[in-house]
Amino acid sequence: MPELRTAFAGVSNVLVTDGTSSVLVDGFFSRPSLVKMATRVAPDRGRIDEALSRLGVTKLDAVLVAHSHVDHVLDAPVVAELTGATLAGSPSTRKVQEGYGLATEPFEELVPGKPVEFGAFTVTPVDARHSDGDRVPGEITEPVRVPAKAKAFKTGRCYSFHLAHPAGSVLVHASANFLPGALAGYSADVVYLGAGAAGKQSEEWREEYWRETVGALGPKKVRPIHWDAFWRPLSKPLKLLPKVFDDLDTTMGTFKRLAAEDDIDLALPELWKTE
């Protein structure tokens, strides 16, 4: 049986592969600067190519979009086209693909609870909730043509992704929030757990968040994601989100205590490192 491997590429970009079948969450590699975020943004083909090369990716079965904010969806249609993948997400994500002139490329609209086969993976989208302070809520109803304002990339539907494979299972939960009971009945060997903005919540909230995600899934490993400043290029070392947005030290303090109680391997994932 082939071995299942994962790799982290900043924000909530997670590659899961057995060497033959591969799926990628989000694939946001352009990471426009704050100046561009305040004006107009577009995919950066050079940065996309470089990131795919670092990940060793030439072909993907699917690019799964957790929600349609700029730091998740901006590059996804381009990454899908370059790798021959099916783009999978909400109707809002489809509007981005259409706006890029890629309407004839494959697209799978994801329905929470409905499994979809991508290569050797069975992907089940799970209904999720964006972290508190969603600055661009709503649906994208018209094609997004780039360069576009960052606020054109509205949330759309939010998903977690349960990736089942004969060699194991992975859950990618991009946003630090939860819907009570949403993950009941699922299990995963590894959980990539959204951490951004959790440090601004109460200790009680973080404990409940852990119970509703990690506690429900029973993983061996937890890797926090979406904690880095997503406007810095991947050619530079990752830096934490500024304290005005988050406090990762506080979050990790809670997570470390709970992971120790549950005997779970907890660590921040390293950029590009295969596990």
Side-chain angles (χ1 to χ4, degrees), residues 80-109:
E81 182 196 24
L82 290 173
T83 59
T86 297
L87 183 66
S90 71
S92 291
T93 292
R94 175 60 173 166
K95 288 299 180 186
V96 178
Q97 186 183 41
E98 290 174 358
Y100 287 14
L102 299 172
T104 59
E105 292 293 312
F107 181 80
E108 179 77 31
E109 182 178 334

Side-chain angles (χ1 to χ4, degrees), residues 215-226:
L217 294 159
K220 302 179 183 74
K221 297 182 180 182
V222 172
R223 299 292 182 256
I225 56 174
H226 212 331

Side-chain angles (χ1 to χ4, degrees), residues 3-15:
E3 184 181 47
L4 206 57
R5 302 188 301 277
T6 63
F8 171 67
V11 198
S12 52
N13 304 317
V14 178
L15 173 70

Side-chain angles (χ1 to χ4, degrees), residues 45-69:
R45 176 64 187 274
R47 289 185 175 184
I48 293 170
D49 287 344
E50 182 179 359
L52 291 174
S53 176
R54 291 294 301 270
L55 287 170
V57 167
T58 56
K59 181 182 179 299
L60 292 167
D61 291 279
V63 176
L64 313 172
V65 180
H67 61 268
S68 296
H69 281 171

Side-chain angles (χ1 to χ4, degrees), residues 25-246:
V25 175
D26 291 344
F28 170 68
F29 304 131
S30 294
R31 297 170 69 107
S33 67
L34 286 177
V35 171
K36 289 184 178 178
M37 287 284 195
T39 53
R40 291 182 181 272
V41 296
D44 184 319
R45 176 64 187 274
R47 289 185 175 184
I48 293 170
D49 287 344
E50 182 179 359
L52 291 174
S53 176
R54 291 294 301 270
L55 287 170
V57 167
T58 56
K59 181 182 179 299
L60 292 167
D61 291 279
V63 176
L64 313 172
V65 180
H67 61 268
S68 296
H69 281 171
V70 67
D71 56 330
H72 297 263
V73 79
L74 179 67
D75 298 335
V78 177
V79 172
E81 182 196 24
L82 290 173
T83 59
T86 297
L87 183 66
S90 71
S92 291
T93 292
R94 175 60 173 166
K95 288 299 180 186
V96 178
Q97 186 183 41
E98 290 174 358
Y100 287 14
L102 299 172
T104 59
E105 292 293 312
F107 181 80
E108 179 77 31
E109 182 178 334
L110 297 176
V111 178
K114 181 182 177 182
V116 186
E117 304 292 328
F118 293 112
F121 291 93
T122 300
V123 176
T124 305
V126 182
D127 215 5
R129 179 181 289 165
H130 193 274
S131 56
D132 283 356
D134 187 345
R135 299 186 179 198
V136 201
E139 303 285 336
I140 301 173
T141 57
E142 297 294 331
V144 177
R145 293 178 173 82
V146 288
K149 293 182 178 180
K151 67 180 181 182
F153 296 91
K154 296 182 180 181
T155 315
R157 185 184 281 279
C158 289
Y159 306 98
S160 296
F161 299 115
H162 184 266
L163 314 176
H165 184 280
S169 56
V170 178
L171 191 288
V172 181
H173 186 86
S175 294
N177 210 335
F178 60 92
L179 289 167
L183 292 168
Y186 292 93
S187 63
D189 299 307
V190 181
V191 174
Y192 282 85
L193 185 65
K200 293 295 186 179
Q201 299 279 8
S202 68
E203 183 78 355
E204 292 74 21
W205 184 94
R206 285 188 294 276
E207 290 175 351
E208 187 175 6
Y209 177 46
W210 182 273
R211 286 196 302 271
E212 288 285 347
T213 53
V214 178
L217 294 159
K220 302 179 183 74
K221 297 182 180 182
V222 172
R223 299 292 182 256
I225 56 174
H226 212 331
W227 45 262
D228 57 301
F230 53 80
W231 49 87
R232 285 172 53 85
L234 288 171
S235 57
K236 296 182 178 181
L238 298 182
K239 283 194 173 182
L240 302 184
L241 287 167
K243 287 291 179 72
V244 68
F245 298 120
D246 191 24

